[in-house]
Amino acid sequence: MRVEGRESKIAGALLAHYDVHARRLPWRAPPGTNASDPYRVWLSEVMLQQTTVAAVGPYFARFTTSWPTVEELAAAQDADVMAAWAGLGYYARARNLLSCARAVVRDHGGRFPDTEEGLRGLPGVGAYTAAAVAAIAFGRRAVVVDANVERVVARLFAIDTPLPAARSAIRAAADRITPDARAGDFAQAMMDLGATICTPRNPACGICPLRQDCAAFATADPAAFPVKAPKKVKPHRLGHGWWIERDGHVWLVRRPDKGLLGGMRALPSSDWGAAPEWTPPVDAAWTSLAEPVSHVFTHFSLALALHRAHLDAGMEPNGTGEWWPIDRIGEAGLPTLFARAVEVVRKDEDARDAKD
């Protein structure tokens, strides 16, 4: 849809602001250029899903240093990529990252498709990522709506339908203001506006380049948009985790490829539910730690009770795993839940040493 009238004014004002105030990000080309590397754009967009720019920065640097091209990422070992991703969360993204990189190399000669349709055909690439890469990396006109853009558009047009039902109206409104030219810059300008000015709380309307065209600003309560449906209470689950130590090493397992924290190294643990069974992976003298590990996933919260045991030389737990040096546990690439478990174990050790 070609923009005109008020919509054209919005696009022009925002691009003029972006030319001066664009954030400098390691995956971003300067405003007004078409020099964006599709690999770096795609990698950043995958990392930025459900994650802040500040959190992504070190991970992006680590990945592009270890695997500077899509071909090198495609050739990487799964375990190395999962370990490098540890702590960034939403681990299915890391598995999809590898699948997509390998498809780009195998099916497209190492070149990303340059259209939304072509990008949607890649593993793990959804509507948002396809639109973002098409616009930012290839200059295609695409309607790019992430959480920041969703908030900006809802306020610009004072869309009062509660989320998520409002999303179709928000996308239609975003389509109306997306210009044919500089679609990539426009998408990034909208993201910047939402991240730095049109923030969820206390938006800085006084310095917003779009305030004169913003319907929510005219209501004197722009933070009331977008309207959100009441949050559902997340269910709470329980689980057991086991710290099994022998000769300065701890027993780590690899979680199943499918499911939460799939493919990641972890401490052995039970199922997570209302009343999980306490069935440790080895017959030993177990000590239960007083402090559980609390963690909140997307759809539930978890309290993981920890138990520890020391094994004699030659003893092995049931199942498949590996003995990992405790003094190098930081290199194991444990996801946040189990990294916190390590902290709890160390805290327990310090408390015991203080009593002795």
Side-chain angles (χ1 to χ4, degrees), residues 68-201:
T69 67
V70 69
E71 289 88 354
E72 287 168 287
L73 180 60
Q77 295 294 317
D78 290 38
D80 293 339
V81 173
M82 298 303 291
W85 191 276
L88 197 53
Y90 299 93
Y91 294 96
R93 292 181 297 165
R95 298 193 295 274
N96 288 335
L97 198 76
L98 275 170
S99 297
C100 183
R102 289 165 181 166
V104 168
V105 172
R106 181 185 64 243
D107 303 330
H108 300 277
R111 298 176 65 87
F112 281 84
D114 64 358
T115 65
E116 280 188 84
E117 182 181 5
L119 289 161
R120 285 293 300 272
L122 296 172
V125 175
Y128 165 76
T129 303
V133 175
I136 298 168
F138 298 109
R140 302 282 189 181
R141 186 189 185 280
V143 181
V144 182
V145 183
D146 70 352
N148 282 320
V149 176
E150 186 175 82
R151 183 169 58 256
V152 170
V153 173
R155 289 174 177 172
L156 275 173
F157 295 89
I159 296 172
D160 58 7
T161 303
L163 291 171
R167 288 197 169 119
S168 60
I170 289 172
R171 193 185 189 286
D175 191 6
R176 292 203 301 274
I177 62 174
T178 299
D180 291 336
R182 297 187 65 186
D185 280 352
F186 180 78
Q188 293 174 110
M190 289 286 280
M191 295 174 192
D192 279 10
L193 190 72
T196 63
I197 293 176
C198 195
T199 50
R201 298 179 183 84

